[in-house]
Structure formats: structure tokens, C-alpha cells
Amino acid sequence: MLTRIDHIGIACHDLDATVEFYRATYGFEVFHTEVNEEQGVREAMLRINGTSDGGASYLQLLEPVREDSTVAKWLAKNGEGVHHIAFGTADVDADSEEIRDKGVRVLYDEPRRGSMGSRITFLHPKDCHGVLTELVTSAPVESPEH
């Protein structure tokens, strides 16, 4: 089932300024950046540490690239801050089905492409005590891509 905290997603208005804050304040460096057109975000993954299952833990900083994106709508309502928590799993398909069978709404019928080639799905926050929860099966990590 779930093996680790994969990342904590933080919504922000200015990705570059937020990256600089985490770099200057905590010494975290950018491991990966990308634009996810499907989700309408520009993101930076700041690697915190590696884990024994070959994954890692990250902070994921998310800046919307269009006003109709989920993150843009969330920012308009809530302002900057923690957007979601993501748990790592070896099999997002099996684990999301098992969780669905327990009565938790899974937001995607089939997992989608996430950061760094991962496969993801989300669980409805109303079924998770107010926390938007993501399940992630990481792609093999070889080296940083910028």
C-alpha cells in the first residue's frame, strides 16, 4: 500500500519568488521543473531526501498558467499555501481501487501522468477530512531535469 510521503504540494502566485524563498531560507534546491499543460500549472520539485524504496520526498511548488486551472481556482479562494499531500505507492492503480472500495471518491477513473513521468490520482478532500490527497507511483528517477 502507501510507502511514504511523496510530496507536499504548495500553491503559489509566483513560482520563481517561492523557489527563491525555499532556497534562501532552507537551502532546498530545484530538482525538476516542468509545465503540466493538462493540469494548467508550472511547477518546481524541491527534493528533500531519498527513501529506502527508491523514491524521494519533495516539496512541489505550483503556479497556475491559466485562470481555469484547479490550482488557480484554489488560489483565488484560499490564497497561497498547502494545496495537497501526496503518498507514494508502488501501484497507484491497485491502491486507488482498494481505497475506492472503502467508499472514498477517487477523482480520476484512470490514473494520469504527473510530475517527472509519475502516474497519479487524487482522492476527494471531503472523504479525507478536508485534505486533498494524491496517490503517486513514481517513474524511475535517474537524474534531475531542468
Side-chain angles (χ1 to χ4, degrees), residues 3-127:
T3 58
R4 63 191 155 78
I5 295 175
D6 184 85
H7 67 271
I8 297 171
I10 299 171
C12 61
H13 293 290
D14 182 334
L15 185 67
D16 297 327
T18 307
V19 164
E20 183 52 34
F21 169 81
Y22 281 96
R23 179 181 293 128
T25 305
Y26 306 117
F28 297 153
E29 294 296 330
V30 173
F31 181 81
H32 175 85
T33 59
E34 71 180 83
V35 174
N36 185 322
E37 294 293 343
E38 181 181 357
Q39 294 183 18
V41 295
R42 184 169 74 109
E43 65 180 77
M45 296 294 274
L46 309 179
R47 190 171 192 262
I48 307 305
N49 67 332
T51 62
S52 62
D53 67 358
S57 294
Y58 301 91
L59 286 180
Q60 178 188 47
L61 306 178
L62 301 161
E63 175 191 64
V65 295
R66 52 178 210 266
E67 291 181 23
D68 68 338
S69 74
T70 303
V71 171
K73 292 173 186 175
W74 190 90
L75 271 168
K77 181 178 178 181
N78 301 292
E80 292 185 309
V82 174
H83 178 262
H84 67 275
I85 186 167
F87 295 108
T89 172
D91 189 344
V92 68
D93 296 275
D95 287 344
S96 63
E97 283 305 311
E98 183 177 333
I99 290 169
R100 179 181 278 129
D101 290 345
K102 293 177 180 178
V104 175
R105 287 174 280 180
V106 178
L107 299 183
Y108 303 152
D109 290 332
E110 296 289 327
R112 298 180 181 179
R113 183 194 173 281
S115 302
M116 301 185 294
S118 63
R119 297 187 71 243
I120 65 165
T121 195
F122 285 91
L123 309 178
H124 200 292
K126 289 185 179 177
D127 297 343

